[in-house]
Amino acid sequence: MKRLLLSTLFGIFGAIFLISFCFADLSGSLDEQHILLRIKPEGEVNVEAGGQPVKSAGVTKPVVTDIGQQRYEKYCHICHEGGLAGAPKFGDKSDWAPRISEGMDTLFEHALKGYKAMPPKGTCMDCSDEDLKKAIEYMISHSK
Ligand code: HEC
């Protein structure tokens, strides 16, 4: 009788032990997923959505919601990324400082109508005035 009780007890403890092992293993693999998510290459992670990747049509892509950034990346970066034809370079403080001091109105006027090698509207013909201002602001805010 004692033996039966003992082996039942052992059985129960054994089962509990095994079950807790399963749970430990499960949470371990969840942690691993989180770590993998955190060390994902930049660009694959949408920071605005709190670091969660956004799936669109099966592709993990960052979502650009800033209209200024959208316009910049589509139209302006062609010249302003590397300083083509003397364009003030994106992120270059010394390129932008004298231009920023002209004031936003002048910058906008030049961007809208064109200025020396800078084409009118920076080739973005479907940009509204507001879009153009946002694109300039985007460039400026990353260059001072
Ligand atoms: C084809 C090349 C090209 C593209 C595309 C282009 N730019 Fe430029 N941009 C230039 C050049 C070159 C200058 C410098 C002109 C100068 O001062 O000689 C310039 C200058 C500027 C300036 C400074 C003007 C000033 O008063 O000093 C602003 C602001 C500007 N661009 C905004 C934009 C925006 C916004 C876009 C996109 C919508 C854009 N550019 C697209 C070539 C380009």
Side-chain angles (χ1 to χ4, degrees):
M1 189 60 199
K2 239 184 178 178
R3 256 207 179 145
L4 190 71
L5 193 74
L6 262 183
S7 58
T8 317
L9 272 178
F10 270 118
I12 291 168
F13 278 122
I16 290 172
F17 184 73
L18 277 179
I19 288 167
S20 66
F21 225 80
C22 287
F23 278 111
D25 206 10
L26 201 97
S27 64
S29 64
L30 265 180
D31 275 353
E32 198 177 300
Q33 278 177 10
H34 275 121
I35 291 165
L36 284 177
L37 197 70
R38 265 184 239 144
I39 59 170
K40 264 192 167 212
E42 202 188 337
E44 274 191 43
V45 176
N46 173 21
V47 181
E48 269 166 357
Q52 300 297 320
V54 175
K55 294 225 174 208
S56 59
V59 188
T60 312
K61 266 167 82 184
V63 177
V64 177
T65 47
D66 179 342
I67 186 82
Q69 185 182 354
Q70 271 177 11
R71 296 305 193 181
Y72 169 78
E73 282 170 1
K74 193 159 179 202
Y75 299 96
C76 325
H77 91 280
I78 300 159
C79 297
H80 285 273
E81 195 73 29
L84 202 77
K89 283 194 286 295
F90 185 86
D92 191 314
K93 289 180 190 149
S94 58
D95 271 7
W96 277 101
R99 299 182 190 264
I100 291 170
S101 64
E102 293 173 20
M104 187 60 186
D105 290 348
T106 311
L107 291 183
F108 173 68
E109 189 79 5
H110 286 167
L112 184 70
K113 296 185 176 154
Y115 180 65
K116 300 184 196 170
M118 160 78 195
K121 286 190 151 192
T123 69
C124 178
M125 286 311 156
D126 60 337
C127 273
S128 66
D129 288 3
E130 204 50 41
D131 292 354
L132 211 56
K133 273 187 195 151
K134 290 260 167 66
I136 299 170
E137 274 161 11
Y138 175 73
M139 273 201 275
I140 288 177
S141 67
H142 286 81
S143 312
K144 62 180 178 189

